[in-house]
Amino acid sequence: MDHLVSPSLLAANFGNLDSEVMMVNKSEADWIHLDIMDGVFVPNISFGFPVIRAVKRVAVKPLDVHLMIVDPDRYLNQFCEAGANNLTVQYEACTHLNRTATEIRNLGMKAGVAINPHTPVLLLKNILPYVDMVLIMTVNPGFGGQIFIKESYNKITELRNMIDKGQYNVLIEVDGGIDTANAIDLIDAGANVLVAGSSVFKSKDPAKTISRLKKLI
Ligand code: DX5
Ligand code: ZN
């Protein structure tokens, strides 16, 4: 399959959110990535439901919502109502991940599970039949603009083999420090979805950078 590009709004200009979302609408991006941080699971606070709803009003592409929050079960329904199409929870924040993923699917969203850089891919073995996507964090979650962790390539390859061997219908998303320089290697390693914040929104021509991430040039 062709890979997907999901620009992360965390690096966008929040004073001009509508026009940032409209730029993504008109670009070759496939999804819009929204990072929700609670100041507990990660040492940073981003934004919540009012901002998601504001994005949803303007966006024409699916909202790819990444929760970096403890005990996400409390809010699954509210994220759905705010407009999330994909809802990804952190493996490390869920005590009953099977129940959480099943609930996300029952609400009509695609279920994703994210793993931190220190979390081994092998721990996902028994959840793969219950999720639509695995997000491999390629930086420690909490901030945009960090340096890509190179050990991530091996994790992507390992997960690709697990998914192919088990014939699971699961996408591999990668997130953190991704730019036009490492995108090709990430796709070659087996990733299906590229999240990119700073490299898109801090570039001179964000729509063109999205196009380059999509065409891998
Ligand atoms: C980090 C977030 C990322 C972040 C990526 O915790 O999950 O989605 O926005 O930002 P960049 O692309 O700047 O590393
Ligand atoms: Zn993210």
Side-chain angles (χ1 to χ4, degrees):
M1 64 164 268
D2 282 346
H3 70 277
L4 308 178
V5 175
S6 189
S8 168
L9 277 187
L10 193 64
N13 177 358
F14 281 77
N16 225 339
L17 200 53
D18 279 12
S19 71
E20 297 281 54
V21 175
M22 282 189 278
M23 180 281 292
V24 178
N25 284 348
K26 283 189 251 152
S27 76
E28 290 175 59
D30 298 279
W31 298 341
I32 304 185
H33 189 83
L34 288 93
D35 290 298
I36 314 300
M37 305 177 181
D38 66 354
V40 180
F41 182 75
V42 287
N44 197 9
I45 296 174
S46 58
F47 53 83
F49 302 113
V51 173
I52 301 175
R53 280 193 288 268
V55 171
K56 190 69 179 179
R57 277 195 286 273
V58 183
V60 298
K61 300 186 180 183
L63 301 195
D64 178 37
V65 178
H66 175 195
L67 303 184
M68 285 156 276
I69 66 174
V70 296
D71 201 4
D73 301 79
R74 293 170 295 166
Y75 301 110
L76 302 180
N77 193 37
Q78 274 171 272
F79 283 111
C80 183
E81 282 177 0
N85 298 92
N86 309 333
L87 196 61
T88 296
V89 294
Q90 288 279 155
Y91 176 91
E92 303 82 4
C94 295
T95 312
H96 303 286
L97 184 55
N98 188 309
R99 180 182 287 150
T100 306
T102 302
E103 179 61 17
I104 292 172
R105 280 179 162 181
N106 287 344
L107 287 165
M109 298 177 285
K110 299 279 185 204
V113 57
I115 53 169
N116 278 339
H118 73 275
T119 302
V121 158
L122 268 179
L123 292 174
L124 299 169
K125 187 171 167 241
N126 298 93
I127 199 67
L128 289 178
Y130 299 91
V131 295
D132 304 290
M133 184 159 75
V134 171
L135 188 165
I136 295 185
M137 281 308 303
T138 47
V139 298
N140 286 295
F143 304 92
Q146 301 182 84
I147 308 279
F148 176 83
I149 297 173
K150 290 203 172 57
E151 286 76 21
S152 309
Y153 288 119
N154 290 337
K155 292 178 76 175
I156 298 165
T157 308
E158 196 182 344
L159 180 60
R160 177 85 270 145
N161 291 336
M162 279 167 69
I163 290 171
D164 290 351
K165 206 170 155 202
Q167 296 185 310
Y168 298 113
N169 192 13
V170 172
L171 295 174
I172 301 178
E173 184 171 41
V174 285
D175 184 5
I178 291 165
D179 56 25
T180 51
N182 56 22
I184 298 178
D185 289 342
L186 289 162
I187 299 300
D188 283 349
N192 306 109
V193 188
L194 302 175
V195 176
S198 309
S199 70
V200 167
F201 288 97
K202 309 288 184 211
S203 70
K204 256 199 197 138
D205 185 343
K208 194 171 168 193
T209 305
I210 291 170
S211 171
R212 290 182 64 201
L213 287 167
K214 188 71 186 166
K215 297 193 176 105
L216 298 181
I217 47 169

